[in-house]
Amino acid sequence: EVQLVESGGDWVQAGGSLRLACATSGFTLDDYVIGWWRQAPGKEREGVSCISTKWRSTYYADSVKGRFIISSDSAKNTVYLQMNSLKPEDTAVYYCTTGAHALLRLCGSVYEFDYWGQGTQVTVSS
């Protein structure tokens, strides 16, 4: 059974940093694209970043490029999202996700992803 469990969400002041973690199980991390998505109140879910450990490739939405860094640790079956220079508009619930046939270049398409974690809340105050 595929499981994705997020952690690391917290309250932080603007300009601060947080690191989210997604613990995965039920599949081989290296074989799948893993994504981080977020959803702010009243807004649609947004693809933030994705990683292909197998191909050592990453994707970032323009809104987070240069501030967020995605990485993976195959030995721990965990994907991380390092978030720096946080802004109030980064406030959202952050979800970890994967799909059986997800493609890195389609990271921004919700239709690529079949499995979702429960989410972790990130709040950035101004």
Side-chain angles (χ1 to χ4, degrees), residues 38-109:
R38 66 186 180 187
Q39 187 164 25
K43 295 187 177 182
E44 291 188 355
R45 201 169 285 195
E46 173 192 19
V48 173
S49 181
C50 289
I51 186 167
S52 168
T53 303
K54 179 179 181 180
W55 300 109
R56 300 181 183 180
S57 298
T58 58
Y59 163 96
Y60 297 96
D62 288 343
S63 57
V64 305
K65 203 171 291 183
R67 300 188 298 123
F68 290 11
I69 301 171
I70 192 170
S71 63
S72 63
D73 185 332
S74 297
K76 296 182 178 179
N77 292 319
T78 301
V79 174
Y80 302 96
L81 186 68
Q82 177 68 42
M83 305 187 296
N84 302 317
S85 302
L86 283 162
K87 305 175 181 180
E89 51 264 43
D90 294 319
T91 294
V93 177
Y94 283 71
Y95 298 91
C96 182
T97 181
T98 190
H101 306 289
L103 299 176
L104 188 70
R105 62 182 173 85
L106 297 178
C107 178
S109 172

